[in-house]
Amino acid sequence: LRELGQMLNRESQADEWIAQYSAKVEEAKKQMSERIGPDETVMFIRVLKKEYRLYGERQLTGTLMYHDLGLKAPPQVSAIEGVNQTISLETLPEINPDYILLDVGAIVQGGDKQGEALYNDLQQSSLWKNMKAVQNNHVYRVPDWFFRTDFPLARSKALGVVVDALVNGEQALPK
């Protein structure tokens, strides 16, 4: 953002946004520390038409969650070398996070019916039902744009989504 600010001769606006965002992050960290223990883990997963995609620390939303907010990633998330990794249903219990942020479907006109169908199958699975996050009602559905936080406005909105879910319990999915 600073580089763009320099290119557009808007350095002060870039610095102002960064300062405001940093203040929001600090407030969010304080709120989350009152609800989420330091050893509790959080993961972000997308259910697409034929796969489960786990997002790592290097992905844009991952940098928001794990670097900006300091949330703890499960070891399997930290081990992802790229931005995401396709995993099987059988892998989910090995990860077994305390909190799950979940996106269902690809961004397609009319919605992703195949993604929704795979998600419905996931919900019926005993592997899913026995996970800590599911048992404790700590699964939160996020908007389909959530994994795209590469612009300042989207990053700020994504920060709000994380706070709404993990602090306020909004968008919690039933067991």
Side-chain angles (χ1 to χ4, degrees):
L1 186 60
R2 281 195 173 100
E3 287 179 26
L4 284 174
Q6 288 174 346
M7 290 170 33
L8 300 171
N9 199 26
R10 295 184 178 244
E11 290 128 331
S12 63
Q13 287 93 339
D15 288 340
E16 182 180 320
W17 185 90
I18 291 168
Q20 289 173 351
Y21 176 77
S22 296
K24 287 180 186 178
V25 165
E26 289 307 312
E27 178 59 29
K29 287 166 85 172
K30 179 181 173 223
Q31 291 174 341
M32 281 190 241
S33 71
E34 295 169 1
R35 169 150 174 158
I36 299 173
D39 293 325
E40 291 183 300
T41 57
V42 180
M43 81 172 190
F44 171 47
I45 187 169
R46 291 180 73 204
V47 179
L48 298 169
K49 65 181 176 182
K50 294 183 180 180
E51 67 187 31
Y52 304 104
R53 192 174 292 168
L54 181 63
Y55 285 80
E57 294 178 352
R58 291 179 185 91
Q59 190 267 343
L60 294 168
T61 303
T63 63
L64 166 71
M65 292 173 33
Y66 306 119
H67 298 285
D68 294 1
L69 293 171
L71 296 170
K72 184 175 181 180
Q76 296 87 340
V77 169
S78 297
I80 296 173
E81 292 187 19
V83 294
N84 63 57
Q85 178 179 348
T86 299
I87 61 170
S88 67
L89 173 62
E90 293 74 24
T91 304
L92 286 171
E94 295 170 17
I95 303 169
N96 204 18
D98 297 286
Y99 295 86
I100 298 173
L101 299 176
L102 175 83
D103 179 14
V104 178
I107 303 172
V108 293
Q109 188 173 1
D112 184 350
K113 291 174 182 47
Q114 290 176 311
E116 288 289 342
L118 186 60
Y119 173 60
N120 290 333
D121 292 345
L122 174 68
Q123 288 181 299
Q124 301 308 313
S125 164
S126 61
L127 295 173
W128 175 257
K129 290 178 182 179
N130 289 318
M131 292 179 64
K132 284 187 287 190
V134 176
Q135 289 290 311
N136 294 319
N137 204 32
H138 290 162
V139 179
Y140 306 94
R141 189 151 177 184
V142 297
D144 57 8
W145 55 263
F146 183 73
F147 75 103
R148 300 287 317 253
T149 61
D150 44 355
F151 299 103
L153 180 60
R155 192 159 188 95
S156 185
K157 285 190 169 288
L159 174 64
V161 168
V162 174
V163 170
D164 287 345
L166 300 181
V167 175
N168 303 324
E170 293 182 18
Q171 301 301 325
L173 299 172
K175 291 187 208 177

